[in-house]
Amino acid sequence: MGEFQALLFTFLGGIGIFLFSVKYMGDGLQKTAGDRLRDLLDKYTSNPFMGLIAGIVVTILLQSSTATTVLTIGLVNAGFMKLRQAIAVIMGANIGTTTTAFIIGLPIKEYSLPIMAVGAFLIFFFKKKRITSIGQVIFGFGGLFYGLDLMGSSLRPLSGWEPFVDFTARMSENPLLGVVVGVILAVALQSSTAAIGLVQQLYEQGAMSLGAALPVLIGDNIGTTLTAVLVAIGATVAARRAALTHVIFNVIGAILVMIAFPLFVTCIEYLAGQFNLNPAMQIASAHGVYNVSNVIIQFPFIASLAYIVTKLVPGDGLDLDYKPKHLDPIFIGNSPAIALGQAKQEVIHMADYSKRGLKQAIRYMETGEKKDADLALQYELAINNLDREITDYLVKISARSLSATDSNLHSTLLNAVRDIERIGDHMENIVELKDYQKANKVTLSGIALADLNEMFELTYSTLEEAMDSLEKDDLDKAHDVLKHEELIDKMERKLRKQHIQRMNDGECSGAAGIIFVDIISNLERIGDHSVNIAEVVIDEQ
């Protein structure tokens, strides 16, 4: 019992150190790269091939296909990425994750502790964040091999344990059993990398034949999709479709390789003989051949995959594009006046998102449903992105020689962009206040909710008129905005007093009072920004 306990504890400790090290190394790489990983996926996925390359690169840097897939689903959920782009990135992630298996196969276990020591030295004796992040990567790299070494030493006795030998023999005879074991392993460990590392160690210790190890490897690839599926629960339709694509892609790959399984085993045995590969590298090579072949076969059918998941996950995707539609840099040099016209179209595009976002925030206040909050925040993120893009475009235009009329329009657009961005911030504040209300189980009275709805309607109609006046240069609507904003100010003061009175009378709690007052304050500020936009239109006339 004592020897078994020691082996069990060594195995559990080894797998714990391994999982921690993979995560720690990935976090260090992510800190070193900063926001560039997200930017890489955002900017360099213009076509499926570029998406494939971006997926490979990001996964190599993160050392986790799951992390890349989750990041991709987040971008799809937020509207930064279309479904076809996401499918290509997910395919790239499957190739990128094979590098971890090759790293694990390197024969440097005996150097793991000195490597960890170097990493710890950089972490504890340097204050510069970049150096400590590099130290984190090095420490995680060493810990990965140290955990593997512990796992390997604890698994060695399994090669002579008859029940385990019989079980692996059955997996060799029935590869589907091995696939199921691989799925369970990846789900249990929440890491295909750890599951593959375990397979490598079992094969290296002689506890498992190649014919038994390869089906487990294939099952690992299916099991790793679970995390992406969990992340997509409650997300947008597009995000759920991206997660389902990950599952379908890996399941189709597993079916194809199982059909040609004897040929697959022969191929890996041939590579092992030709290149004198050690057992761990044989598994890594199998992982690489499987994933690369799967991508080569399915890459031409990205459009078909997108069509299938669209049918399997019905629903209307959110018509939201974070990228500017009208900002063509060629006009800046050739015709600044046309460039300003393009910028105005983009400002109107951004203004439309502010109206939709406010409507969604209002809806969230009424329903309290997470999907409404997510949609409102997606609009806010889109507004922020367009704010940066339009401002950069206008700054470049300002370097050109502009007529007096164009100069006025330039100033108008810059001011309008700033006000619309601030409206997005207030919209986000309203969502956060509703989140606070739900988290703390604060109840607003029926009278308070009716008052909020009344102010919501007035604020939304004022914002709508302000945006119409900007789009159509409508002076009458601009003057109407000024009148409505006075009504908003009066309503804000009246509702504030009434709610304070309700609190004094014990009809409403202090927490409810804070939420109510903050919401109407944000609505009043949206009215102010609407006036700013209307006044710009009036000043232009």
Side-chain angles (χ1 to χ4, degrees):
M1 181 63 186
E3 185 180 351
F4 173 77
Q5 186 184 65
L7 289 172
L8 177 63
F9 286 2
T10 302
F11 172 75
L12 293 175
I15 205 162
I17 291 170
F18 179 85
L19 286 169
F20 169 79
S21 299
V22 171
K23 177 75 165 57
Y24 198 59
M25 182 170 67
D27 289 346
L29 286 163
Q30 193 165 4
K31 287 176 188 174
T32 305
D35 292 330
R36 284 172 287 181
L37 295 179
R38 185 186 177 98
D39 292 341
L40 180 67
L41 288 177
D42 181 25
K43 293 179 181 178
Y44 300 105
T45 54
S46 53
N47 60 64
F49 182 74
M50 289 303 295
L52 179 71
I53 300 300
I56 293 171
V57 172
V58 172
T59 306
I60 289 172
L61 292 175
L62 289 176
Q63 284 299 297
S64 170
S65 61
T66 300
T68 303
T69 304
V70 168
L71 187 58
T72 302
I73 288 172
L75 289 168
V76 172
N77 190 49
F80 273 100
M81 191 181 288
K82 300 297 183 185
L83 180 60
R84 291 190 186 187
Q85 294 170 296
I87 293 172
V89 173
I90 289 168
M91 287 182 175
N94 275 41
I95 294 177
T97 194
T98 62
T99 59
T100 310
F102 282 105
I103 290 171
I104 293 170
L106 296 172
I108 55 174
K109 291 179 187 175
E110 58 267 32
Y111 303 109
S112 59
L113 291 175
I115 292 170
M116 291 170 71
V118 171
F121 180 79
L122 294 177
I123 292 168
F124 288 102
F125 292 97
F126 289 87
K127 293 184 179 179
K128 195 173 180 181
K129 285 187 177 179
R130 185 168 180 80
I131 294 177
T132 56
S133 295
I134 292 170
Q136 187 173 334
V137 173
I138 294 171
F139 184 88
F141 184 73
L144 184 149
F145 286 99
Y146 183 60
L148 277 173
D149 193 35
L150 290 175
M151 285 165 59
S153 63
S154 65
L155 293 172
R156 196 170 292 120
L158 286 177
S159 60
W161 190 39
E162 193 172 334
F164 188 81
V165 173
D166 292 342
F167 183 68
T168 56
R170 283 201 300 276
M171 284 198 292
S172 297
E173 295 167 3
N174 183 6
L176 287 177
L177 177 61
V179 173
V180 173
V181 170
V183 171
I184 294 170
L185 264 180
V187 170
L189 297 174
Q190 281 294 290
S191 168
S192 62
T193 300
I196 291 165
L198 181 58
V199 172
Q200 284 176 307
Q201 292 304 306
L202 287 167
Y203 183 51
E204 192 171 28
Q205 301 302 329
M208 186 179 282
S209 67
L210 186 64
L214 295 184
V216 178
L217 190 73
I218 295 161
D220 291 340
N221 279 268
I222 298 173
T224 193
T225 62
L226 177 69
T227 305
V229 171
L230 293 175
V231 168
I233 292 173
T236 62
V237 170
R240 295 202 301 275
R241 288 170 178 167
L244 181 59
T245 300
H246 192 205
V247 177
I248 291 174
F249 172 72
N250 281 5
V251 168
I252 289 174
I255 291 170
L256 292 175
V257 78
M258 293 310 292
I259 290 171
F261 187 69
L263 182 63
F264 182 50
V265 175
T266 302
C267 174
I268 302 308
E269 288 174 342
Y270 174 77
L271 289 174
Q274 285 292 108
F275 298 100
N276 195 26
L277 300 176
N278 65 40
M281 278 297 183
Q282 289 178 40
I283 299 298
S285 299
H287 193 219
V289 168
Y290 165 65
N291 280 291
V292 172
S293 301
N294 194 19
V295 169
I296 291 172
I297 292 168
Q298 296 195 56
F299 187 77
F301 301 102
I302 285 178
S304 300
L305 278 172
Y307 176 79
I308 290 168
V309 295
T310 301
K311 292 298 181 184
L312 291 174
V313 183
D316 296 324
L318 182 62
D319 181 21
L320 180 60
D321 193 344
Y322 280 50
K323 308 281 177 74
K325 298 176 179 178
H326 308 94
L327 305 183
D328 192 335
I330 196 169
F331 292 125
I332 296 174
N334 295 338
S335 177
I338 294 177
L340 281 170
Q342 296 294 103
K344 183 174 181 179
Q345 289 301 310
E346 204 59 59
V347 172
I348 292 165
H349 175 208
M350 181 180 174
D352 181 55
Y353 283 174
S354 72
K355 288 191 296 183
R356 293 200 217 173
L358 179 59
K359 200 167 199 176
Q360 205 62 52
I362 294 169
R363 181 172 174 78
Y364 180 50
M365 279 300 303
E366 294 171 351
T367 66
E369 293 184 10
K370 185 178 180 296
K371 65 178 182 180
D372 292 321
D374 289 342
L375 290 178
L377 295 178
Q378 284 176 56
Y379 280 118
E380 204 276 330
L381 281 171
I383 289 167
N384 286 343
N385 194 61
L386 291 174
D387 170 39
R388 288 191 295 270
E389 297 281 356
I390 297 169
T391 301
D392 288 346
Y393 192 76
L394 289 171
V395 167
K396 290 174 184 174
I397 293 174
S398 67
R400 302 290 169 179
S401 179
L402 301 175
S403 66
T405 303
D406 287 343
S407 184
N408 285 337
L409 177 57
H410 184 272
S411 298
T412 296
L413 295 176
L414 271 176
N415 291 330
V417 167
R418 185 186 65 244
D419 282 303
I420 295 169
E421 192 278 330
R422 291 296 296 135
I423 288 169
D425 291 342
H426 291 299
M427 181 177 79
E428 183 181 20
N429 291 344
I430 292 170
V431 171
E432 290 173 352
L433 286 165
K434 179 63 179 180
D435 287 340
Y436 177 85
Q437 181 198 342
K438 286 174 63 182
N440 292 277
K441 297 186 169 113
V442 178
T443 303
L444 292 174
S445 66
I447 296 172
L449 290 172
D451 288 344
L452 282 178
N453 285 333
E454 185 181 356
M455 191 164 179
F456 275 141
E457 289 175 11
L458 180 57
T459 305
Y460 181 79
S461 63
T462 303
L463 175 62
E464 197 168 33
E465 285 187 327
M467 299 314 177
D468 285 346
S469 70
L470 175 67
E471 182 177 358
K472 301 168 186 173
D473 292 320
D474 191 322
L475 198 59
D476 291 336
K477 286 199 173 182
H479 283 295
D480 287 342
V481 170
L482 302 187
K483 293 174 187 174
H484 285 169
E485 202 275 334
E486 289 178 12
L487 294 175
I488 290 174
D489 287 346
K490 288 178 183 177
M491 184 179 288
E492 193 261 348
R493 289 192 294 269
K494 182 184 80 171
L495 296 184
R496 187 187 294 266
K497 287 178 183 176
Q498 288 177 351
H499 203 70
I500 290 171
Q501 186 60 50
R502 283 197 295 271
M503 286 168 54
N504 291 336
D505 293 341
E507 296 175 13
C508 209
S509 67
I514 292 169
I515 292 169
F516 181 88
V517 169
D518 281 352
I519 290 173
I520 61 174
S521 294
N522 277 284
L523 291 172
E524 189 272 332
R525 292 296 295 144
I526 290 173
D528 290 344
H529 289 294
S530 301
V531 166
N532 292 344
I533 293 168
E535 285 178 340
V536 164
V537 175
I538 293 169
D539 291 343
E540 273 192 312
Q541 305 298 318

